[in-house]
Amino acid sequence: MGTWDIGPFDNDTAADFSYRVDEAPTEQKADVLLAAFREVTGTGGDYLDADVAVEAIASAALVAARCPGGDPVTTAYGPKKPLPVLPGELRPAAVEALDRVLTEPSELLELWEESDGEEWKAGVRKLRAVLAGA
C-alpha cells in the first residue's frame, strides 16, 4: 500500500476507491459507500485486511463531509464527481465500520501502531465523532 500521509485519501487504495465511487451511476453511489462499510463489519472477529479498512475510512470521510462538523473532502485524490444526497443509514454503518477498523485484529491498525500512528487514530476517531453526531 502506498501511503503518503494520515488522511482518509492519502494512500493509493483510497484514491482507487474514489475512482470506483466516481464511476458508479449516481443512484448507486450510496450503495458503493455502504458496501465498503459492510465489507469491514462483515469480518466479525476475523482478521481485517488493510485495503478493506482503507476503503471504509475513505467512505466514512465522504459521509462525514455531509454532516455538521464534518470536514469537506478537498483532496485531489477524492472523488471528482459530486455525491447525491446520502441516506441516513450510512452514518451508523460508518460508525460501526470505523469501530471495527480500530479493533484488533486489524492490519491497518497494526501498521499504524508500528509507526506511532496516534495522529492517524485521532483522525479516525474524529470522523467517528462527527458521524455519531457527537
Side-chain angles (χ1 to χ4, degrees):
M1 172 175 63
T3 301
W4 52 89
D5 209 345
I6 62 168
F9 293 94
D10 293 343
N11 59 77
D12 293 338
T13 302
D16 291 344
F17 177 74
S18 294
Y19 179 76
R20 255 194 7 250
V21 172
D22 274 340
E23 291 303 302
T26 300
E27 65 277 2
Q28 293 178 5
K29 289 184 188 296
D31 295 335
V32 172
L33 304 181
L34 185 59
F37 302 142
R38 289 188 175 155
E39 190 166 0
V40 166
T41 57
T43 63
D46 293 339
Y47 193 73
L48 177 60
D49 180 76
D51 287 342
V52 173
V54 162
E55 289 182 0
I57 292 170
S59 185
L62 293 172
V63 176
R66 301 290 188 92
C67 298
D71 294 328
V73 176
T74 58
T75 177
Y77 300 104
K80 310 289 184 263
K81 298 176 184 175
L83 292 174
V85 173
L86 299 173
E89 72 179 291
L90 291 178
R91 287 177 73 173
V95 168
E96 186 179 358
L98 294 178
D99 286 344
R100 177 61 188 89
V101 169
L102 293 175
T103 303
E104 293 186 17
S106 169
E107 182 182 21
L108 189 60
L109 177 63
E110 290 173 11
L111 291 169
W112 279 107
E113 286 180 340
E114 289 172 3
S115 62
D116 190 29
E118 288 306 313
E119 193 175 354
W120 171 81
K121 285 192 266 185
V124 175
R125 288 185 189 115
K126 180 183 177 193
L127 276 178
R128 186 200 185 285
V130 167
L131 291 160

